[in-house]
Amino acid sequence: MLSGSARRSAARQLPLRLAAGTFFLNSGISKLGADEATAEGLQQFAATTYPFLGRQDARQFVRLLSVGELAIAAALLVPVVPAAVAGAALTAFSVGTIGLYLRTPGMREEGSLRPTEQGITLAKDVWLLGIGVSLIVDGVNEHR
């Protein structure tokens, strides 16, 4: 049985976990059936910032990306997964996407952190970083 403090913490985390978890669930499912052109496009985009990803087969890359997103969705949506664990997974993924935003040419206005039209899709992932860090902090505080 959960203590009053644990119930309040779980209730506070619910909107965060649902919002991010359903986002990752949808994204992971949509990549499961990616065709060759989509797989190659996603891999090439990621490899511009993280060159080691270019050495992998494009289909395998997208399959692993999909499985990773589905694993993060499960960590967020399954309530028995501790907040700090779910938050760490979400934070790690979002740091990667923010890295793409910061390091890929054309994503930001020259000399600024402000996104270009093309950069908005990655710049918005800062909310995932905020949710991930919040879950980590909440999870650490739960165990004190």
Side-chain angles (χ1 to χ4, degrees):
M1 179 153 255
L2 292 175
S3 70
S5 174
R7 275 194 303 274
R8 282 189 302 278
S9 182
R12 184 175 55 248
Q13 294 169 9
L14 185 62
L16 300 175
R17 291 177 80 142
L18 282 175
T22 55
F23 178 84
F24 271 88
L25 183 63
N26 179 62
S27 185
I29 288 171
S30 70
K31 286 181 183 75
L32 283 176
D35 60 23
E36 188 67 34
T38 301
E40 287 177 4
L42 285 169
Q43 182 197 30
Q44 288 171 2
F45 178 69
T48 59
T49 299
Y50 304 113
F52 69 93
L53 295 174
R55 294 184 225 121
Q56 193 172 16
D57 174 70
R59 288 252 191 206
Q60 182 182 14
F61 167 76
V62 172
R63 207 171 8 258
L64 289 172
L65 180 58
S66 174
V67 168
E69 289 178 337
L70 292 171
I72 292 169
L76 289 162
L77 296 172
V78 175
V80 296
V81 176
V85 172
L90 181 56
T91 298
F93 190 93
S94 63
V95 164
T97 60
I98 291 170
L100 279 170
Y101 171 69
L102 293 173
R103 297 172 57 193
T104 302
M107 295 290 115
R108 296 179 294 124
E109 292 181 6
E110 188 69 35
S112 172
L113 288 177
R114 292 185 59 198
T116 61
E117 188 72 28
Q118 297 80 16
I120 289 173
T121 57
L122 288 174
K124 66 167 181 44
D125 285 356
V126 73
W127 66 275
L128 295 172
L129 178 62
I131 291 172
V133 171
S134 294
L135 289 171
I136 291 170
V137 169
D138 207 34
V140 168
N141 286 336
E142 278 179 5
H143 293 295
R144 286 189 181 171

